[in-house]
């Protein structure tokens, strides 16, 4: 079973109904009625040593901040604001107190930065190294929540910033090339200490311009496929429109990688992926500028299913390649999916 099949299987077993539940499994957050105007947004994410980070090169303070960022990113992706957080942490009995104190400092600084309050959790001894789960509770105006399921044929597909940076940064760190040049700093920072686009997500929700949205945690190819599946549509992505930083291209040259593949398949960028009508372009660009970002249109939503990458040939025609679900999957290596 791959990751999608596991989630679908669990969702099929969850048949209990509750009038307060507006959206359950299948989006960035569960949505639960709060009062006549607001809803609760609930999400959780886990980081595992050896999967999401390597203690050999991931500073504990930055890891603490990252734990917060990757969770509040889900809240921002639905147009909400984070309010409360619950922490579950597992560590070896022989953990280094100085390491933990730096991690905790980063985590609480991250909560403070995004405006949420750590209110409880659990601590356990872990024989398999460090692991951490954060549950974040946010809120939003009910009618302004943005789901994955609203994309419409003719919409423009947008990303809030450059793609592939985290994957490139991780590869540089693994190869001990993090000191290869100052220009690689944005790539390293995206893996070690990403920034969630909560401010932009909230503004997009308030604008009423966006039809569908989610955050980019598993890569454009996979996350856009999720969004399209929930919306019952497909998408065509133009390779020449992908926002690739010159540093990304240089890093790919240095390690013999494909920068385009990092952009469509690399996970953990935590940019926002959203769709909106073509006529909203100027207003969306302005909202991005207000947040210090440069959103980029990268494709179009279409009626037929599937996610297709278009590349220009030398003769001016386009080559088409299906890329749905070609991003990160926790179980792909084991299953061969």
């Amino acid at each position: 079973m791959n990751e999608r099949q596991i989630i679908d299987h669990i969702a099929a077993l969850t048949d209990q109904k509750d009038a307060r539940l507006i959206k359950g499994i299948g989006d960035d957050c569960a949505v639960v009625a709060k009062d006549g105007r607001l809803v609760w947004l609930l999400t959780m994410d886990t980081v595992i040593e050896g999967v999401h980070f390597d203690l050999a090169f991931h500073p504990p303070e930055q890891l603490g901040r990252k734990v917060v960022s990757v969770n509040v990113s889900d809240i921002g992706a639905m147009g909400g604001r984070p309010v409360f957080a619950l922490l579950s942490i597992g560590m070896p009995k022989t953990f280094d107190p100085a390491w933990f104190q730096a991690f905790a400092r980063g985590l609480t600084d991250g909560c403070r930065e995004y405006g949420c309050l750590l209110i409880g959790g659990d601590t356990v001894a872990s024989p398999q190294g460090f692991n951490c789960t954060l549950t974040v509770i946010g809120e939003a105006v009910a009618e302004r929540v943005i789901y994955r399921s609203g994309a419409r044929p003719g919409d423009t597909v947008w990303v809030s910033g450059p793609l592939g940076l985290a994957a490139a940064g991780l590869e540089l760190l693994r190869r001990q090339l993090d000191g290869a040049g100052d220009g690689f700093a944005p790539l390293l920072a995206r893996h070690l200490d990403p920034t969630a686009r909560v401010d932009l997500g909230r503004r997009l929700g308030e604008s009423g311009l966006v039809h569908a949205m989610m955050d980019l945690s598993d890569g454009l190819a996979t996350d856009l496929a999720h969004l399209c599946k929930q919306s019952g549509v497909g998408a065509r992505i133009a390779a020449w429109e992908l926002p690739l930083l010159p540093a990304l291209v240089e890093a790919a040259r240095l390690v013999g990688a494909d920068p385009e593949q990092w952009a469509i398949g690399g996970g953990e960028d935590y940019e926002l992926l959203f769709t909106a009508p073509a006529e909203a372009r100027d207003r969306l660009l302005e909202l991005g500028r207000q947040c210090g970002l440069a959103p980029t249109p990268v494709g179009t939503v279409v009626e037929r299913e599937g996610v297709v990458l278009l590349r220009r040939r030398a003769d001016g025609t386009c080559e088409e390649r299906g890329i749905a679900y070609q991003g990160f999957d926790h179980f792909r290596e084991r299953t061969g999916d």
Side-chain angles (χ1 to χ4, degrees), residues 213-231:
M213 184 161 67
M214 65 182 296
D215 74 336
L216 285 166
S217 58
D218 292 331
L220 178 64
T222 288
D223 291 328
L224 182 54
H226 284 311
L227 187 148
C228 287
K229 180 181 178 181
Q230 290 292 321
S231 297

Side-chain angles (χ1 to χ4, degrees), residues 22-336:
I22 298 170
K23 179 65 179 181
I25 297 171
D27 223 299
D28 284 81
C29 301
V31 183
V32 177
K34 178 182 179 182
D35 54 36
R37 177 174 174 270
L38 299 175
V39 294
W40 291 117
L41 304 174
L42 298 97
T43 186
M44 67 182 299
D45 217 326
T46 300
V47 296
I48 301 289
E49 181 180 349
V51 177
H52 299 96
F53 67 94
D54 189 324
L55 289 178
F57 53 69
H58 208 138
E61 191 161 350
Q62 291 185 338
L63 181 61
R65 289 173 49 81
K66 181 174 181 176
V67 168
V68 180
S69 296
V70 304
N71 277 273
V72 300
S73 179
D74 287 333
I75 303 292
M78 299 194 74
R81 69 177 188 92
V83 181
F84 300 117
L86 296 158
L87 170 69
S88 175
I89 185 170
M91 294 183 293
K93 291 183 178 180
T94 57
F95 74 89
D96 179 0
W99 186 97
F100 169 73
Q101 290 164 3
F103 168 83
R105 184 165 58 249
L107 187 136
T108 53
D109 285 348
C111 286
R112 190 175 301 111
E113 176 184 343
Y114 291 111
C116 58
L117 181 64
L118 185 64
I119 59 173
D122 189 26
T123 56
V124 296
S126 169
Q128 302 298 326
F130 178 91
N131 62 81
C132 174
T133 298
L134 198 71
T135 298
V136 176
I137 303 169
E139 65 178 11
V141 176
E143 63 183 17
R144 293 303 186 189
V145 175
I146 308 176
Y147 298 91
R148 298 179 181 180
S149 55
R152 306 171 189 175
D155 277 0
T156 300
V157 178
W158 291 77
V159 293
S160 62
L163 302 178
L165 275 63
L170 176 57
E171 190 62 24
L172 291 172
L173 288 162
R174 283 174 171 168
R175 294 176 181 243
Q176 298 182 335
L177 294 171
D178 44 303
D182 293 340
F184 291 149
L187 314 182
L188 303 173
R190 185 63 61 90
H191 171 68
L192 296 172
D193 190 11
T195 298
R197 307 307 187 190
V198 176
D199 187 24
L200 177 62
R202 179 182 56 79
R203 290 172 187 255
L204 292 174
E206 292 173 349
S207 75
L209 297 171
V210 173
H211 291 157
M213 184 161 67
M214 65 182 296
D215 74 336
L216 285 166
S217 58
D218 292 331
L220 178 64
T222 288
D223 291 328
L224 182 54
H226 284 311
L227 187 148
C228 287
K229 180 181 178 181
Q230 290 292 321
S231 297
V233 296
R236 295 164 66 85
I237 300 301
W240 57 90
E241 297 289 357
L242 295 172
L244 306 181
L245 290 185
L248 181 87
V249 178
E250 174 59 21
R253 185 200 62 76
L254 181 64
V255 303
D258 180 358
E260 181 184 281
Q261 187 56 42
W262 275 342
I264 65 172
E268 295 199 323
D269 277 325
Y270 298 105
E271 295 290 351
L272 294 177
L273 166 69
F274 56 96
T275 79
E279 57 268 23
R281 178 187 177 96
D282 290 345
R283 294 172 65 190
L284 292 172
L285 290 172
E286 176 57 30
L287 286 175
R289 282 192 290 268
Q290 291 172 10
C291 298
L293 301 171
T296 303
V298 296
T300 306
V301 177
V302 296
E303 290 187 359
R304 57 186 178 276
E305 294 183 358
V307 178
V308 173
L309 181 70
L310 305 178
R311 287 200 196 95
R312 286 174 174 157
R313 298 189 181 99
D315 63 4
T317 61
C318 283
E319 170 194 2
E320 298 186 6
R321 177 168 70 94
I323 60 170
Y325 300 110
Q326 290 185 13
F328 182 75
D329 186 318
H330 280 275
F331 301 95
R332 176 170 288 128
E333 288 186 1
R334 190 183 69 181
T335 62

